[in-house]
């Protein structure tokens, strides 16, 4: 009931908020972000106290990433109203907010994720309803109320930011499936992400991280190892993009171990490594909740051994990677596995195996100065964030790289996620396009006949140039055979001539199209042919006489004038019936060099010398 009520409140507020301008929205973002920045450390303390995960220093940094750095990254980003106009294309793009965002918050980042998801939702013109983890509901709710109060003071509608006070699984399900929920931002375990995707609503989920780090022999080893330790130790390994397995060449082993010790990493013995593996994972292979985000000292004590008070992380050398090797999986704690290989290719294979053991699509890192190797690593790794020479958590969320600052890192279709991006406000609105008329359809869409002609041309059929049949490029006998078949298929000729076997050189489709083009091309380029009654275009080639007198006799030329030569009419097409009529009327048929004469007509005309080749005047 609480979930239903809060969605309704958020939706009612959004109906007013959806009409706000970009300037009004940006003012609300700035005020809310400033309020969270002012209490960044207090929120971190509350999170550590309530959850027992991580440390205050690094959780404060997470809060500031989202309350201080993220708003600055979003400044100037257009998310409301007209996004851009393209006059040369006749297109105007307009942002359309989605409505109510259902935001699921993980226990590992209970305050920073609230800040992040609230600010990107409001920036995109949406309302938000947050569902915190039950073990972090107080600090998450406090953060949400802090943001809501500041937003309202800046002019936001009351109720625009809501947070469940009793975040049960049933309440979260109701939130995700509510008719007025527009989209789900799901950060948490795989069960929750799958529930989001099966809710019937659009959802942006994330996958687990299992980050491999490859250090090659061109890297600055001391700097690379220092960055790996910095990333692994950050908030005691609770960031999903925290380093899990360091892969390096065997020839670098001693130097890397020494560099790790210099960074106060504790190198575990094989027996201590086995004890850690038993401690960190249940019999089902899942991470024990009581081990998540604990200090190296606390984990070592739980595993039955002691480490120095200043130990930054625990490092364990392993002899293989994959699902059957627990320490090569995501551990959510400051425990780093070490795997040494013989060469670069073996390093690639090991890193890929780590990703496939539980981190598909997420993040990987390479430390190298060899650009060719860096590009090959990027090509081979099944990850959407391929980081270079940076701590993994800092680079993946945009602190030390220029990827968009985000606490929701998509892993793409390879991990059953809708996106592989760092999720931001750009994912929480859609774009409508105002499109003006710029051309007629005929300018870009060819006729079906032209498409067929082009298909014949691509198939290698002769006599098609630019999609138009060119009779001059075909043998005369082939033209005759094609035209004869064309006429016979229409019932204008009865018996095939011997030349008709020429048509076998072409496909039936080519015969039909070429014949049609021959006829239409010639008839369209010449004077219309007089057609007497009947179905066949007749050749009326007898020279016309002078107009008759009123008595019906021919008019004689005037005295002293020479009688004009009769006008010769050259016909374009001659069939057998034309020849028969000419024979019966005792007249000639005048043809030109490009007149089409069917084989049967040519054979019949030869007996009576009917056809006369003439030139056009």
């Amino acid at each position: 009931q609480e979930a239903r009520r809060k969605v309704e409140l958020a939706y009612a507020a959004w109906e007013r908020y959806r009409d706000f301008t970009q300037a009004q929205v940006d003012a609300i973002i700035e005020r809310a972000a400033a309020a969270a920045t002012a209490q960044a450390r207090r929120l971190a303390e509350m999170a550590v106290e309530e959850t027992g995960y991580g440390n205050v220093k690094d959780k404060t940094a997470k809060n500031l990433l989202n309350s201080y750095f993220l708003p600055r990254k979003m400044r100037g980003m257009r998310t409301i109203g007209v996004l851009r106009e393209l006059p040369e294309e006749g297109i105007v793009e307009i942002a359309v907010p989605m409505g109510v965002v259902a935001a699921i918050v993980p226990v590992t980042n209970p305050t920073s994720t609230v800040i992040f998801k609230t600010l990107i939702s409001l920036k995109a013109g949406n309302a938000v309803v947050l569902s915190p983890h039950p073990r972090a509901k107080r600090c998450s709710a406090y953060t949400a109320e802090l943001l809501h109060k500041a937003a309202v003071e800046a002019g936001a509608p009351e109720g625009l930011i809501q947070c469940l006070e009793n975040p049960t699984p049933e309440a979260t399900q109701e939130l995700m499936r509510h008719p007025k929920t527009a989209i789900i931002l799901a950060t948490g375990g795989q069960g929750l992400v799958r529930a989001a995707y099966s809710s019937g609503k659009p959802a942006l989920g994330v996958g687990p991280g299992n980050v491999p780090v490859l250090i090659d022999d061109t890297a600055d080893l001391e700097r690379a190892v220092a960055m790996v330790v910095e990333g692994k130790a950050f908030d005691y390994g609770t960031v999903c993009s925290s380093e899990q397995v360091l892969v390096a060449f065997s020839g670098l082993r001693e130097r890397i171990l020494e560099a790790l010790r210099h960074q106060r990493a504790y190198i575990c013995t094989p027996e201590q490594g086995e004890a850690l593996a038993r401690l960190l994972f249940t019999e089902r292979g899942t991470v024990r909740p009581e081990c998540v985000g604990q200090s190296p000292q606390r984990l070592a004590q739980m595993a039955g051994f002691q480490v120095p008070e200043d130990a930054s992380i625990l490092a364990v050398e392993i002899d293989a990677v994959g699902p059957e090797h627990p320490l090569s999986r995501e551990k959510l704690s400051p425990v780093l596995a070490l795997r040494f290989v013989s060469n670069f290719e073996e390093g690639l294979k090991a890193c890929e195996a780590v990703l496939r053991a539980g981190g598909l699509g997420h993040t990987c890192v390479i430390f190298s100065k060899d650009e060719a190797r860096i590009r090959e690593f990027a090509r081979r790794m099944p990850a959407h964030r391929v980081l270079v020479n940076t701590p993994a958590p800092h680079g993946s969320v945009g602190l030390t790289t220029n990827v968009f600052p985000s606490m929701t890192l998509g892993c793409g279709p390879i991990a059953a996620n809708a996106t592989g991006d760092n999720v931001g406000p750009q994912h929480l609105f859609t774009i409508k396009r105002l499109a003006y008329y710029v051309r007629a359809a005929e300018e870009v869409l060819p006729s079906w006949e032209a498409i067929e002609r082009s298909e014949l041309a691509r198939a290698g059929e002769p006599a098609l140039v630019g999609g138009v049949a060119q009779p001059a490029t075909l043998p005369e006998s082939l033209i005759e055979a094609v035209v004869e078949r064309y006429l016979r298929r229409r019932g204008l000729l009865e018996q095939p001539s011997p030349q008709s076997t020429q048509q076998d050189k072409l496909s039936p489709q080519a015969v039909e199209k070429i014949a049609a083009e021959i006829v239409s091309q010639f008839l369209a380029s010449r004077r219309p042919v007089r057609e007497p009654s009947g179905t066949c275009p007749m050749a009326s080639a007898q020279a016309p006489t002078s107009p008759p007198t009123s008595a019906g006799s021919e008019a004689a030329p005037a005295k002293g004038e020479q009688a004009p030569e009769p006008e010769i009419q050259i016909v374009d097409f001659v069939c057998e019936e034309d020849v028969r009529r000419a024979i019966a009327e005792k007249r000639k048929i005048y043809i030109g060099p490009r007149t089409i004469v069917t084989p049967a007509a040519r054979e019949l005309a030869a007996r009576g010398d009917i056809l006369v080749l003439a030139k056009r005047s």
Side-chain angles (χ1 to χ4, degrees):
Q1 181 59 36
E2 181 195 15
R4 288 191 289 269
R5 179 172 58 84
K6 294 203 168 183
V7 171
E8 293 288 350
L9 289 171
Y11 187 85
W14 173 71
E15 287 192 307
R16 300 192 300 277
Y17 187 63
R18 65 192 302 182
D19 294 326
F20 278 35
T21 66
Q22 185 75 68
Q24 289 175 304
V25 167
D26 289 347
I28 291 168
I29 296 298
E30 293 293 335
R31 180 72 69 87
T37 297
Q39 295 203 39
R41 183 172 180 84
R42 170 63 182 143
L43 297 176
E45 292 170 345
M46 292 177 65
V48 172
E49 180 182 353
E50 185 175 4
T51 67
Y53 293 165
N55 60 76
V56 172
K57 172 178 172 292
D58 294 335
K59 286 199 182 297
T60 301
K62 287 183 184 180
N63 290 335
L64 291 173
L65 166 70
N66 296 285
S67 68
Y68 182 83
F69 184 59
L70 172 65
R72 282 156 177 75
K73 197 75 171 181
M74 294 193 298
R75 283 176 184 169
M77 179 187 293
R78 293 207 60 85
T79 56
I80 306 296
V82 174
L83 301 176
R84 62 174 182 164
E85 297 190 36
L86 306 170
E88 68 282 1
E89 297 183 21
I91 294 289
V92 179
E93 295 179 344
I94 304 169
V96 180
M98 292 187 173
V100 176
V101 177
I104 317 302
V105 182
V107 66
T108 49
N109 305 298
T111 56
S112 55
T113 302
V114 168
I115 300 170
F116 168 72
K117 292 188 175 182
T118 297
L119 293 184
I120 66 169
S121 296
L122 269 56
K123 176 69 174 179
N126 303 302
V128 63
V129 179
L130 299 141
S131 178
H133 192 281
R135 290 184 55 181
K137 62 183 181 181
R138 291 193 302 276
C139 62
S140 292
Y142 181 88
T143 306
E145 181 55 32
L146 174 70
L147 294 167
H148 180 251
K149 181 180 178 182
V152 171
E153 289 174 354
E158 187 77 34
L160 193 64
I161 303 168
Q162 299 287 327
C163 184
L164 299 183
E165 298 174 8
N166 299 289
T168 63
E170 293 79 12
T172 301
Q173 287 285 350
E174 183 65 22
L175 169 62
M176 292 192 294
R177 295 179 178 178
H178 194 283
K180 290 183 178 177
T181 293
I183 188 170
I184 303 166
L185 284 181
T187 306
Q190 285 303 287
L192 186 145
V193 172
R194 282 193 294 268
Y197 279 122
S198 62
S199 67
K201 300 287 185 177
L204 294 172
V206 299
N210 194 29
V211 179
V213 181
L214 178 60
I215 300 179
D216 77 1
D217 52 4
T218 71
D220 182 335
L221 288 187
E222 287 70 24
R223 178 176 171 81
V225 170
M227 286 188 171
V228 171
V229 173
E230 179 185 4
K232 180 77 263 191
F234 186 77
D235 204 25
Y236 293 157
T238 56
V239 180
C240 57
S241 56
S242 177
E243 296 87 345
Q244 300 299 334
V245 182
L246 187 159
V247 178
F249 299 172
S250 298
L252 304 175
R253 179 177 180 275
E254 293 306 320
R255 290 179 59 193
I256 286 178
L257 292 178
E258 182 58 31
L260 284 168
R261 294 187 185 98
H262 185 71
Q263 296 298 322
R264 302 189 313 280
Y266 179 82
I267 311 299
C268 297
T269 66
E271 294 75 18
Q272 291 170 339
E274 291 176 2
L276 278 175
R278 290 192 299 269
L279 170 71
L280 295 175
F281 297 93
T282 67
E283 293 180 357
R284 295 180 293 124
T286 58
V287 176
R288 295 185 190 275
E290 61 269 26
C291 296
V292 172
Q294 301 303 306
S295 69
Q297 294 74 21
R298 171 66 176 155
L299 288 175
Q301 183 182 24
M302 294 170 68
F305 60 96
Q306 299 293 319
V307 298
E309 285 300 317
D310 65 347
S312 56
I313 65 169
L314 305 177
V316 183
E317 191 170 348
I318 57 177
D319 56 11
V321 297
E324 65 278 13
H325 302 280
L327 292 179
S328 69
R329 302 203 301 265
E330 184 180 35
K331 297 170 279 292
L332 293 175
S333 59
V335 178
L336 178 69
L338 311 175
R339 172 70 179 137
F340 295 101
V341 296
S342 57
N343 53 47
F344 182 68
E345 176 60 28
E346 292 302 313
L348 292 176
K349 291 179 180 178
C351 289
E352 184 175 358
V354 170
L355 286 167
R356 296 192 180 281
L360 275 176
H362 207 289
T363 303
C364 58
V365 187
I366 182 171
F367 286 89
S368 175
K369 296 178 182 177
D370 188 328
E371 189 62 27
R373 283 181 173 177
I374 292 171
R375 296 302 177 96
E376 179 64 10
F377 182 78
R379 187 186 71 84
R380 290 273 296 271
M381 293 303 105
H384 285 278
R385 276 155 297 277
V386 181
L387 309 176
V388 183
N389 300 328
T390 178
H394 305 69
S396 64
V397 301
L399 272 176
T400 59
T401 68
N402 276 326
V403 299
F404 191 83
S406 180
M407 298 295 289
T408 301
L409 310 181
C411 298
I414 195 171
N417 289 177
T419 180
D421 287 346
N422 280 24
V423 173
Q426 66 271 26
H427 296 92
L428 297 179
F429 61 83
T430 57
I431 299 175
K432 72 165 67 172
R433 287 174 174 83
L434 182 62
Y436 291 86
Y437 179 92
V438 295
R439 59 181 166 266
E442 292 76 10
E443 296 180 42
V444 292
L445 292 180
S447 66
W448 178 246
E449 289 74 14
I451 293 174
E452 287 183 312
R453 288 197 299 270
S454 66
E455 289 298 318
L456 290 172
R458 280 196 290 271
E461 301 287 6
L464 288 172
V465 179
V468 178
Q470 306 295 314
T473 66
L474 292 173
E476 182 179 340
S477 60
L478 186 55
I479 294 176
E480 294 171 355
V482 166
V483 173
E484 181 176 323
R485 175 175 176 179
Y486 180 79
L487 295 173
R488 192 169 64 253
R489 283 175 60 86
R490 284 153 181 76
L492 304 180
L493 293 178
E494 295 182 357
Q495 298 297 325
S497 66
Q499 291 94 329
S500 64
T501 56
Q502 289 286 337
Q503 70 187 25
D504 295 336
K505 294 182 179 181
L506 293 175
S507 66
Q509 295 86 352
V511 169
E512 194 73 12
K513 297 308 297 180
I514 293 173
E517 284 295 342
I518 291 171
V519 173
S520 62
Q521 180 180 339
F522 276 89
L523 294 183
S525 63
R526 286 161 173 77
R527 294 188 301 272
V529 178
R530 179 170 56 87
E531 296 183 15
S533 61
T535 58
C536 182
M538 300 298 295
S540 179
Q542 185 177 10
T545 59
S546 298
T549 64
S550 59
S553 59
E554 295 183 0
K559 185 176 181 180
E561 291 182 0
Q562 185 176 357
E565 294 183 2
E567 181 184 352
I568 300 299
Q569 182 179 2
I570 299 175
V571 299
D572 299 308
F573 185 82
V574 182
C575 68
E576 186 178 5
E577 182 62 26
D578 296 332
V579 177
R580 293 187 188 279
R581 289 180 180 274
I583 292 172
E585 298 171 4
K586 294 183 172 55
R587 58 180 171 81
K588 303 295 186 181
I589 298 176
Y590 294 92
I591 62 174
R594 303 186 72 180
T595 299
I596 299 174
V597 183
T598 67
R602 188 180 297 278
E603 182 180 358
L604 181 60
R607 301 174 189 170
D609 196 22
I610 299 298
L611 300 180
V612 178
L613 181 62
K615 295 183 179 179
R616 295 185 184 275
S617 57

